[in-house]
C-alpha cells in the first residue's frame, strides 16, 4: 500500500531518464541525417520556417520533459508572498483518463501557469480518490486485490497525465487509500463523534437474499434485481452510521450569501439545504411507563411553541414499525391502516420533560423527507384537529396582543417572550444539552456514511458489551485495513471474515470486544482533501493551521456539475466543522467555483432494442446513418462519452494525431467552460486552432528572417504612415492584454481569450515588412502574444520564445530574454494606454485607515462589484487584503473611495 507513490515516482523518473536518453540519441543521429529532415531551433540553433506535423512532434518531444520539471514546484511555502490555490476535483483511479478529465485538468493547468506568470505562489495539486466499489468488484471478478488494482491504475494514469504535459504540484500528491491519509479521516470522524455529530440508527439497505449481502445502489439493475445473482433485491434495516449534517444547515445556508457568483450552483446548494425554519428535538420513548432505551428525533416548524406539544406523529413507514426496534410489535398491533392511531407508547421531551403520546399517522407521507413530527395545536390547525379527534389534551401557548405582536404563554421560563426571542432561547437550550435545536429544513437529511464494504476507510469504533460504543483512542490511529485475500461478493462484509482484526479489546475496560466492520462512504475522504493538500506530509495532525490559513480558501475550484450538490455540500460541511474546532480561520473552503460542462459524442442506437452500436458498425455514407449489417435506421443523439455507449474518444489517440497543444487549445476554444462540447474534430474548432498555431509560428519566422536580413532595425526609418500603423499595433496589444487578463481572472472564458489572441495574430500578419523590421511595437506585441499563448499551449510557445530570444538585433529590452517563456511576467497594460480621462484614482481604506490608491477604469468606478474585484486583484489588494476575512466593504457614492472592514 505504502509503495503506491514511491513506485509511481520511480516509474516517472525512469521514464524521464529514458526520454532524455532518447532525445540525446536523436541529437546525435541528426548530425548524420540529410538537411531535408525537419529540425527545431532548441536542438540545432536553426529556425524551422514552417510548423508542420514533424516540427510539431519534435517541439513537443523536446519541451514535454523540460516543462514538467519547471512548473508549480514549491520547496517551502513563503507566507509573505501572494498565493493562488487552483484545485481541480481529483479523479477516481479507474485506470484510464477520459476526455472529461482532459477538459477539467487542462483548465486548471492553464490557470496555474497564468497565475504563476503573474507572480503568485501557486499550487495546483493532484491526488487520487482511491477507495470505492470498482476496486472491490475487480477483486471479485478478476481475483485482483483492490490495493494492487488501485496501485496499477494510479501508475498508469500518472503516466497519462505526464504525457499530456499537465503541471501538477506532484510533491503534494495524496492517495486516500493510504494509511497516512485515512488516519486523519478517522481522526476527523472521532472529532465529530466527540462533538455529538456522529450517531447510529437503523436505516434501509439493498439486500440480496441469494448472496446474503448488501448491495450499493449501482449494483441494482433497472428491474430491481441484483447485478450478480439476479435475485429480486429486498429492503432491509441495518444499524448504520450517520453524520448530523443538519446541525450545520442554517450556517451553511446563510454563508452562501457571502460567496461570489457560482454559475447557478449557489441556488442548487440553497435548494438542497432548504429553508431552515425549524429544528429536531430528541425524545425518549416509554411503554406502560417503562423507559425503553429508544430515542427519537422529531421535527417541528415552531420550536418556540414546544411547551404546547400534544403528540408525536410518525408515518406508517417509519423504521419503528419495520426495523429491529423493541417497540415494533406494539406499534404494529396498535396501528389501524388509514386512520390516525393513538398508541400506548409515549415520548418524553428531553428539553421540557413533558410526556406526550405517539400517534401513527393516517397519511402515507409528510412534507418533503420528514417521517417524524411534533404535533403543536397552537401553531397548526391540522395538529389541533388530530389532537381533538383522538381526545388528546393540549395547552395554548401563543397569545396575540391587540397590536398584533405574538407572545409565548404557559411555557415555563420562556413565558412572556416574543416568538422570535423564544425561538432563540429554545434552540440554544437544546443545543447546549445536545438534544437537537439546530435550525434546519424539512428536506435535508443527515448523511448516511456506513458502507458494508472492504475497500474504504475503517470506522474507528469498538463495540463493547459493557461499555457500549467506544471510540478508538487517537494514539491507536490509524485503524489499518487487514489484508483480505479472497473476495466473493457474497455474505457479510469481508472485514467480518478476519477474526484477528475484528476481535479486539475494549480500550476502557480491557474486556473482549469487536471492531466496527463498516467502512466510510468515499465522500468522507473527498470532503477534506483540499485541506490536506496544504500540508500533505504532516505526521502529527491532519494539517498545520498556519499553512491552511495561508493557502485557504481555494481560489478556484474546478469540476463537473454532477458534483455541485452532494460533494460540495459535504466539503463545505467539513470546512465549517474544522473552523468551529479552531483548526482553520476560513469557514468556506472555496472562493470561486468553475463548473465545466460535459464532452459529448454521438451515439447510434438500434430503434428496435436501444442497443448502442460501435462506429464501425454504422454506415455513414448516406444522408442518414444506418446499421451496416441490416440497413436499419438508427436513433442518433449527443450523449456523455462512455465505454458502454461506444462513443468514447481516447485522449492518447488524439495526442498522437493532433499533438498536446492542439488538443489543449481545442478543449479551451470549443465552448465556454460551463457549456457542453459536442465532439466533432471536423468542425471549425480543431482546424481553427491548428491553423492558428501555424500562423503564430509564421509570425516568428517573419520577424527572425527580417532581423537576419542584414539590415539593422531602426525605428527612426519608419515613415509617418508606418508609425501610425505601429501605434495601432500598440493599441491593439494593450487592448488584448487587458481583455485576456480579465477573461483569465473574472469569468475564465478561455474561448474568448483565444479568440482575442487570434485577432491580435491577424493584425500582426497585416504588418508591412518595414514595420516588422524596424518597429519596436511589432516585436513587443509578438513577444506579448507569445507569453499570453504560453499557459494554454506551452510547448509551441516555449519554442517560439526560444527562437525570439536568440534573434539578433532585438529592440525590446524589458523582456527577460534569457529565461523561458513560462518564466516571463504576464504582460501589463502600458500606463499611457489608459488616458487620464479614462481612469479614476480610487483611494483604498482598510478599517478606515488609508493604505494607498488603485487606478480603475472610469466606466467601472461607480460599480461596487467591479471596483471590489479590481482592488482585490491589484498589487495593493494582494499585499494588504489577501488571506484576511473581509466583513464588509463600502464604495463612496460621492468620492473615489472604497473602505474595507476586515477582521483583525
Amino acid at each position: 500500500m505504502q509503495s503506491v507513490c514511491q513506485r509511481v515516482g520511480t516509474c516517472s523518473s525512469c521514464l524521464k531518464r529514458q526520454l532524455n536518453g532518447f532525445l540525446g540519441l536523436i541529437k546525435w543521429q541528426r548530425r548524420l541525417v540529410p538537411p531535408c529532415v525537419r529540425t527545431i531551433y532548441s536542438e540545432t540553433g536553426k529556425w524551422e520556417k514552417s510548423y508542420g506535423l514533424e516540427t510539431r512532434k519534435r517541439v513537443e518531444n523536446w519541451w514535454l520533459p523540460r516543462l514538467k520539471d519547471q512548473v508549480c514546484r514549491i520547496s517551502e511555502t513563503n507566507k509573505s508572498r501572494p498565493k493562488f490555490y487552483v484545485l481541480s476535483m481529483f479523479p477516481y483511479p479507474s485506470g484510464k483518463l477520459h476526455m472529461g478529465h482532459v477538459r477539467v485538468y487542462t483548465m486548471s493547468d492553464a490557470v496555474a501557469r497564468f497565475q504563476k506568470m503573474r507572480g503568485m505562489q501557486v499550487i495546483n495539486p493532484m491526488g487520487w480518490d482511491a477507495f470505492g466499489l470498482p476496486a472491490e468488484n475487480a477483486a471479485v471478478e478478476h481475483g485482483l486485490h483492490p490495493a494492487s488494482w488501485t496501485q496499477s491504475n494510479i501508475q498508469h494514469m500518472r503516466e497519462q497525465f505526464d504525457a499530456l504535459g499537465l503541471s501538477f504540484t506532484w510533491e503534494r500528491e495524496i492517495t486516500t487509500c493510504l494509511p497516512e491519509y485515512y488516519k486523519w479521516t478517522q481522526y476527523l470522524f472521532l472529532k465529530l463523534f466527540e462533538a455529538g455529530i456522529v450517531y447510529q440508527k437503523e436505516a434501509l439497505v439493498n439486500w440480496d437474499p441469494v448472496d446474503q449481502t448488501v448491495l450499493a445502489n449501482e449494483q441494482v439493475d433497472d428491474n430491481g434485481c441484483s447485478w450478480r445473482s439476479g435475485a429480486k433485491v429486498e429492503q432491509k434495516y441495518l444499524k448504520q452510521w450517520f453524520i448530523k449534517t443538519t446541525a450545520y444547515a442554517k450556517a451553511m445556508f446563510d454563508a452562501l450569501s457571502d460567496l461570489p457568483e457560482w454559475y447557478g450552483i449557489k441556488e442548487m446548494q440553497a435548494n438542497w439545504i432548504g429553508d431552515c425554519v425549524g429544528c429536531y428535538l430528541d425524545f425518549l420513548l416509554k411503554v406502560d411507563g417503562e423507559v425503553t432505551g429508544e430515542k427519537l428525533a422529531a421535527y417541528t416548524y415552531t420550536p418556540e411553541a414546544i411547551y404546547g406539544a400534544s403528540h408525536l406523529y410518525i408515518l406508517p413507514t417509519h423504521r419503528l414499525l419495520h426495523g429491529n426496534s423493541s417497540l415494533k410489535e406494539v406499534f404494529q398491533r396498535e396501528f389501524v391502516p388509514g386512520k390516525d392511531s393513538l398508541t400506548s407508547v409515549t415520548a418524553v421531551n428531553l428539553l421540557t420533560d413533558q410526556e406526550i403520546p405517539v400517534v401513527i399517522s393516517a397519511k402515507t407521507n409528510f412534507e418533503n423527507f420528514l417521517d417524524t413530527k411534533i404535533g403543536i395545536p397552537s401553531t397548526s390547525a391540522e395538529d389541533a384537529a388530530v389532537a381533538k379527534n383522538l381526545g388528546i389534551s393540549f395547552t395554548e401557548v401563543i397569545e396575540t396582543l391587540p397590536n398584533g405582536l405574538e407572545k409565548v404563554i404557559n411555557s415555563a421560563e420562556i413565558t412572556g417572550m416574543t416568538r422570535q426571542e423564544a425561538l432563540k432561547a429554545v434552540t440554544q437550550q437544546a443545543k447546549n444539552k445536545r438534544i437537537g435545536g439546530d435550525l434546519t429544513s424539512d428536506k435535508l437529511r443527515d448523511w448516511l456514511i456506513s458502507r458494508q464494504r472492504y475497500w474504504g476507510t475503517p470506522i474507528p469504533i469498538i463495540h463493547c458489551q459493557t461499555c457500549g460504543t467506544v471510540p478508538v483512542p487517537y494514539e491507536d490511529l490509524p485503524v489499518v485495513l487487514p489484508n483480505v485475500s479472497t473476495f466473493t461478493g457474497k455474505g457479510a462484509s469481508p472485514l467480518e471474515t478476519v477474526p484477528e482484526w475484528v476481535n479486539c479489546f475494549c480500550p476502557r475496560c480491557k474486556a473482549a470486544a469487536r471492531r466496527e466492520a463498516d467502512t466510510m462512504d468515499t465522500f468522507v475522504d473527498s470532503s477534506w482533501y483540499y485541506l490536506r493538500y496544504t500540508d500533505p506530509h504532516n505526521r502529527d495532525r491532519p494539517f498545520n493551521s498556519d499553512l491552511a490559513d495561508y493557502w485557504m480558501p481555494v481560489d478556484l475550484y474546478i469540476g463537473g456539475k454532477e458534483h455541485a450538490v452532494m460533494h460540495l455540500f459535504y466539503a463545505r460541511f467539513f470546512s465549517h466543522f474544522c473552523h468551529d474546532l479552531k483548526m482553520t480561520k476560513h469557514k468556506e473552503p472555496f472562493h470561486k467555483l468553475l463548473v465545466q460542462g460535459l464532452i459529448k459524442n454521438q451515439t447510434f442506437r438500434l430503434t428496435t432494442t436501444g442497443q448502442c452500436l460501435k462506429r464501425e458498425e454504422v454506415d455513414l455514407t448516406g444522408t442518414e446513418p444506418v446499421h451496416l449489417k441490416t440497413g436499419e435506421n438508427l436513433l442518433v443523439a449527443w450523449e456523455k462519452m462512455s465505454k458502454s455507449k461506444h462513443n468514447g474518444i481516447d485522449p492518447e489517440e488524439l495526442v498522437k494525431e493532433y499533438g498536446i497543444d492542439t488538443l489543449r487549445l481545442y478543449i479551451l476554444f470549443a465552448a465556454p467552460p460551463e457549456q457542453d462540447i459536442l465532439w466533432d474534430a471536423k468542425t471549425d474548432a480543431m482546424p481553427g486552432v491548428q491553423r492558428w498555431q501555424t500562423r503564430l509560428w509564421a509570425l516568428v519566422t517573419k520577424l527572425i528572417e527580417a532581423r537576419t536580413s542584414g539590415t539593422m532595425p531602426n525605428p527612426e526609418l519608419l515613415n509617418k504612415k508606418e508609425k501610425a500603423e505601429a501605434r495601432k499595433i500598440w493599441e491593439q496589444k494593450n487592448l488584448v492584454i487587458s481583455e485576456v487578463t480579465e477573461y483569465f481572472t473574472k469569468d475564465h472564458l478561455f474561448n474568448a481569450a483565444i479568440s482575442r489572441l487570434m485577432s491580435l495574430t491577424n493584425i500582426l500578419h497585416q504588418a508591412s515588412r518595414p514595420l516588422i523590421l524596424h518597429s519596436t511595437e511589432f516585436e513587443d506585441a509578438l513577444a506579448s502574444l507569445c507569453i499570453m499563448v504560453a499557459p494554454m499551449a506551452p510547448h509551441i510557445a516555449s519554442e517560439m520564445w526560444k527562437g525570439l530570444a536568440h534573434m539578433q538585433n532585438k529592440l525590446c529590452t524589458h523582456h527577460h530574454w534569457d529565461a523561458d517563456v513560462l518564466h516571463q511576467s504576464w504582460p501589463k497594460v502600458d500606463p499611457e494606454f489608459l488616458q487620464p480621462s479614462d481612469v479614476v484614482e480610487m483611494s483604498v481604506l482598510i478599517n478606515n485607515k488609508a493604505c494607498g490608491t488603485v487606478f480603475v477604469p472610469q466606466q467601472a468606478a461607480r460599480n461596487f462589484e467591479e471596483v471590489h474585484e479590481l482592488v482585490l486583484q491589484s498589487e495593493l489588494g494582494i499585499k494588504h487584503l489577501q488571506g484576511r476575512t473581509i466583513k464588509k466593504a463600502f464604495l463612496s457614492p460621492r468620492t473615489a473611495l472604497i473602505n474595507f472592514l476586515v477582521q483583525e
Side-chain angles (χ1 to χ4, degrees):
M1 293 278 286
Q2 291 178 333
S3 62
V4 172
C5 298
Q6 292 165 0
R7 289 193 192 178
V8 173
T10 303
C11 285
S12 63
S13 61
C14 288
L15 182 69
K16 189 171 86 175
R17 283 198 299 272
Q18 290 167 3
L19 193 56
N20 286 338
F22 174 63
L23 290 168
L25 182 62
I26 291 174
K27 290 170 82 173
W28 176 77
Q29 288 176 332
R30 190 156 293 124
R31 299 190 193 103
L32 309 176
V33 294
C36 59
V37 173
R38 298 291 186 199
T39 61
I40 63 169
Y41 181 86
S42 293
E43 293 175 303
T44 65
K46 293 182 180 178
W47 182 256
E48 172 58 48
K49 289 185 179 182
S50 60
Y51 191 68
L53 179 64
E54 281 302 313
T55 305
R56 187 260 295 165
K57 284 182 179 177
R58 294 193 185 282
V59 165
E60 292 186 353
N61 283 342
W62 175 267
W63 285 104
L64 182 62
R66 288 162 174 79
L67 297 187
K68 181 179 175 295
D69 291 337
Q70 287 182 9
V71 186
C72 288
R73 286 188 179 276
I74 299 174
S75 55
E76 191 174 340
T77 301
N78 179 354
K79 293 182 210 159
S80 66
R81 285 185 58 197
K83 64 90 184 179
F84 196 91
Y85 183 177
V86 56
L87 179 62
S88 40
M89 294 178 185
F90 65 170
Y92 178 76
S94 59
K96 206 163 183 64
L97 291 179
H98 55 67
M99 289 303 295
H101 289 133
V102 176
R103 188 178 194 191
V104 66
Y105 300 132
T106 297
M107 288 194 286
S108 68
D109 182 84
V111 170
R113 294 180 190 275
F114 163 75
Q115 292 292 352
K116 189 167 185 286
M117 295 170 85
R118 289 184 81 208
M120 299 290 192
Q121 188 167 216
V122 176
I123 55 170
N124 178 25
M126 177 48 60
W128 311 97
D129 194 6
F131 275 135
L133 192 58
E136 213 158 322
N137 291 342
V140 173
E141 292 169 15
H142 308 299
L144 292 168
H145 192 279
S148 303
W149 186 82
T150 302
Q151 182 176 327
S152 172
N153 289 350
I154 287 174
Q155 182 172 321
H156 181 61
M157 289 177 75
R158 251 202 92 156
E159 289 167 0
Q160 287 183 300
F161 276 136
D162 287 346
L164 287 165
L166 296 168
S167 62
F168 295 118
T169 317
W170 281 115
E171 63 267 25
R172 291 176 182 263
E173 181 182 20
I174 58 173
T175 305
T176 61
C177 68
L178 295 180
E180 52 261 39
Y181 181 86
Y182 69 71
K183 170 183 179 176
W184 303 112
T185 305
Q186 292 171 341
Y187 173 94
L188 292 170
F189 176 94
L190 293 180
K191 289 293 182 186
L192 289 163
F193 185 86
E194 285 175 8
I197 295 177
V198 167
Y199 65 95
Q200 266 188 306
K201 74 173 183 180
E202 284 192 330
L204 286 171
V205 296
N206 300 314
W207 180 256
D208 183 329
V210 173
D211 285 345
Q212 292 286 296
T213 191
V214 176
L215 301 174
N217 289 334
E218 55 266 39
Q219 292 177 311
V220 181
D221 67 20
D222 294 338
N223 299 314
C225 295
S226 168
W227 70 315
R228 182 172 287 108
S229 72
K232 197 73 176 174
V233 172
E234 300 171 356
Q235 295 288 294
K236 182 177 178 177
Y237 276 94
L238 284 183
K239 212 163 189 186
Q240 309 271 287
W241 285 97
F242 288 80
I243 294 178
K244 197 188 288 185
T245 48
T246 50
Y248 279 81
K250 185 73 165 70
M252 291 171 65
F253 186 94
D254 292 346
L256 289 170
S257 61
D258 297 327
L259 294 168
E261 180 51 49
W262 275 5
Y263 300 100
I265 304 305
K266 283 208 297 188
E267 289 75 11
M268 291 169 69
Q269 283 279 298
N271 186 55
W272 176 264
I273 296 170
D275 293 326
C276 300
V277 294
C279 73
Y280 286 92
L281 294 171
D282 288 348
F283 290 77
L284 205 59
L285 301 187
K286 296 167 75 173
V287 177
D288 300 326
E290 294 291 322
V291 175
T292 64
E294 283 280 359
K295 212 162 141 183
L296 193 60
Y299 189 80
T300 173
Y301 293 98
T302 54
E304 69 275 16
I306 190 60
Y307 282 91
S310 59
H311 59 281
L312 213 59
Y313 217 18
I314 65 173
L315 289 176
T317 53
H318 197 282
R319 64 179 175 83
L320 291 175
L321 279 80
H322 304 280
N324 303 301
S325 166
S326 59
L327 299 172
K328 178 178 176 180
E329 191 178 325
V330 177
F331 279 126
Q332 287 188 343
R333 185 175 64 243
E334 297 180 349
F335 173 51
V336 181
K339 290 186 177 180
D340 289 325
S341 306
L342 181 62
T343 72
S344 59
V345 180
T346 57
V348 179
N349 186 325
L350 294 178
L351 181 67
T352 65
D353 291 328
Q354 291 175 302
E355 191 169 337
I356 55 177
V358 176
V359 174
I360 305 172
S361 176
K363 293 181 172 183
T364 55
N365 54 62
F366 294 148
E367 297 87 343
N368 289 311
F369 296 120
L370 296 180
D371 64 1
T372 311
K373 291 200 305 181
I374 304 171
I376 304 180
S378 286
T379 56
S380 166
E382 185 184 340
D383 291 347
V386 171
K388 285 174 184 175
N389 288 341
L390 295 174
I392 304 171
S393 63
F394 58 87
T395 304
E396 290 291 348
V397 292
I398 302 295
E399 179 185 39
T400 305
L401 301 180
N403 63 1
L405 183 68
E406 291 183 312
K407 285 209 164 185
V408 176
I409 57 173
N410 302 321
S411 298
E413 70 274 9
I414 63 170
T415 297
M417 292 184 182
T418 64
R419 289 188 67 170
Q420 193 59 38
E421 290 167 345
L423 172 69
K424 287 181 181 176
V426 167
T427 53
Q428 192 57 54
Q429 282 176 34
K431 284 191 278 190
N432 291 344
K433 292 183 178 182
R434 289 195 176 181
I435 53 171
D438 298 294
L439 288 178
T440 185
S441 73
D442 58 13
K443 64 195 298 187
L444 186 66
R445 290 180 284 188
D446 285 337
W447 178 11
L448 193 163
I449 64 161
S450 280
R451 297 294 181 268
Q452 292 71 40
R453 295 277 170 269
Y454 167 76
W455 196 235
T457 297
I459 293 176
I461 290 291
I462 291 170
H463 299 284
C464 173
Q465 285 192 333
T466 305
C467 303
T469 302
V470 181
V472 171
Y474 287 104
E475 60 268 23
D476 292 346
L477 297 181
V479 177
V480 179
L481 281 173
N483 188 25
V484 174
S485 55
T486 305
F487 295 85
T488 63
K490 300 178 182 181
S493 163
L495 291 175
E496 297 270 19
T497 67
V498 190
E500 65 273 19
W501 183 85
V502 78
N503 295 322
C504 62
F505 294 99
C506 173
R508 288 183 188 161
C509 70
K510 310 305 177 189
R514 286 177 66 82
R515 289 192 187 281
E516 173 62 61
D518 282 359
T519 53
M520 296 187 210
D521 176 10
T522 56
F523 270 116
V524 181
D525 306 310
S526 60
S527 293
W528 73 280
Y529 78 115
Y530 51 87
L531 287 164
R532 184 64 176 172
Y533 278 139
T534 66
D535 189 17
H537 308 297
N538 196 321
R539 294 183 178 182
D540 301 321
R541 63 191 86 170
F543 50 86
N544 178 286
S545 293
D546 288 343
L547 286 170
D549 290 345
Y550 171 74
W551 284 112
M552 294 297 292
V554 173
D555 295 281
L556 181 65
Y557 194 34
I558 309 175
K561 199 168 188 176
E562 66 271 23
H563 301 299
V565 176
M566 288 174 65
H567 162 66
L568 202 59
F569 175 78
Y570 297 145
R572 293 182 61 227
F573 164 80
F574 262 91
S575 185
H576 277 248
F577 178 68
C578 289
H579 172 78
D580 283 357
L581 291 184
K582 305 285 191 286
M583 293 172 73
T584 61
K585 74 176 181 183
H586 300 286
K587 274 189 182 180
E588 286 294 329
F590 313 119
H591 178 58
K592 281 192 175 181
L593 187 69
L594 182 57
V595 176
Q596 96 278 4
L598 301 171
I599 298 186
K600 296 180 176 180
N601 202 359
Q602 285 183 313
T603 54
F604 302 94
R605 297 176 187 268
L606 293 171
T607 52
T608 49
T609 64
Q611 177 194 345
C612 287
L613 299 178
K614 295 177 182 176
R615 187 64 68 118
E616 55 267 28
E617 297 174 309
V618 180
D619 182 358
L620 295 166
T621 57
T623 53
E624 297 291 333
V626 295
H627 191 190
L628 204 57
K629 281 185 181 176
T630 64
E632 179 185 340
N633 284 333
L634 302 173
L635 293 170
V636 183
W638 290 96
E639 298 184 56
K640 182 181 177 180
M641 289 186 181
S642 157
K643 280 183 189 175
S644 61
K645 295 173 186 172
H646 305 299
N647 69 337
I649 303 286
D650 186 350
E652 289 184 59
E653 293 302 314
L654 291 172
V655 168
K656 283 180 190 172
E657 184 175 354
Y658 297 107
I660 301 170
D661 286 336
T662 304
L663 178 58
R664 287 168 63 99
L665 290 170
Y666 172 84
I667 288 288
L668 297 172
F669 183 56
E674 70 276 9
Q675 289 184 16
D676 294 340
I677 292 177
L678 304 182
W679 181 268
D680 188 351
K682 296 184 181 66
T683 59
D684 287 343
M686 188 66 86
V689 294
Q690 284 179 306
R691 284 193 302 271
W692 181 43
Q693 290 172 89
T694 304
R695 288 170 64 75
L696 284 169
W697 191 274
L699 283 173
V700 177
T701 301
K702 278 185 179 182
L703 184 57
I704 290 174
E705 287 181 341
R707 295 292 169 82
T708 53
S709 62
T711 305
M712 287 294 291
N714 183 357
E716 296 303 318
L717 296 177
L718 294 174
N719 60 35
K720 189 176 180 181
K721 183 183 176 185
E722 288 161 350
K723 284 181 180 176
E725 279 184 61
R727 175 75 184 183
K728 284 182 182 177
I729 287 173
W730 176 82
E731 288 171 352
Q732 282 300 311
K733 177 209 76 171
N734 279 291
L735 182 60
V736 170
I737 289 171
S738 171
E739 291 177 344
V740 171
T741 304
E742 185 168 325
Y743 288 137
F744 261 94
T745 54
K746 194 172 180 183
D747 298 320
H748 305 97
L749 295 175
F750 307 108
N751 60 316
I754 291 171
S755 182
R756 293 302 288 124
L757 294 174
M758 285 176 168
S759 71
L760 182 57
T761 306
N762 293 337
I763 288 164
L764 294 180
H765 264 288
Q766 294 166 12
S768 60
R769 180 171 169 75
L771 209 62
I772 296 169
L773 175 60
H774 297 298
S775 163
T776 306
E777 290 82 357
F778 181 92
E779 182 182 309
D780 188 33
L782 181 52
S784 299
L785 176 60
C786 193
I787 293 168
M788 289 188 284
V789 168
M792 296 179 283
H795 305 88
I796 186 174
S798 295
E799 184 62 20
M800 291 192 302
W801 186 263
K802 191 64 76 176
L804 292 174
H806 288 83
M807 175 182 69
Q808 299 299 308
N809 307 316
K810 286 189 288 290
L811 296 171
C812 294
T813 57
H814 61 281
H815 295 295
H816 301 291
W817 294 108
D818 56 337
D820 288 340
V821 69
L822 288 165
H823 291 158
Q824 300 300 312
S825 296
W826 185 259
K828 293 179 180 176
V829 175
D830 294 316
E832 60 268 32
F833 178 70
L834 290 170
Q835 295 297 324
S837 59
D838 297 333
V839 295
V840 171
E841 189 175 9
M842 184 70 59
S843 297
V844 179
L845 276 66
I846 296 177
N847 292 340
N848 302 312
K849 293 178 182 176
C851 67
T853 60
V854 172
F855 288 96
V856 300
Q858 175 76 47
Q859 65 270 25
R862 289 284 170 262
N863 185 309
F864 170 78
E865 288 184 358
E866 287 194 41
V867 172
H868 188 275
E869 192 66 24
L870 287 166
V871 172
L872 290 183
Q873 289 178 14
S874 69
E875 289 181 10
L876 181 147
I878 290 166
K879 182 178 177 182
H880 294 291
L881 293 168
Q882 190 175 73
R884 301 178 73 180
T885 301
I886 299 171
K887 294 190 285 188
K888 272 190 177 181
F890 303 92
L891 181 66
S892 169
R894 292 178 296 278
T895 57
L897 180 148
I898 186 167
N899 187 10
F900 291 87
L901 299 183
V902 303
Q903 196 170 306
E904 292 291 356

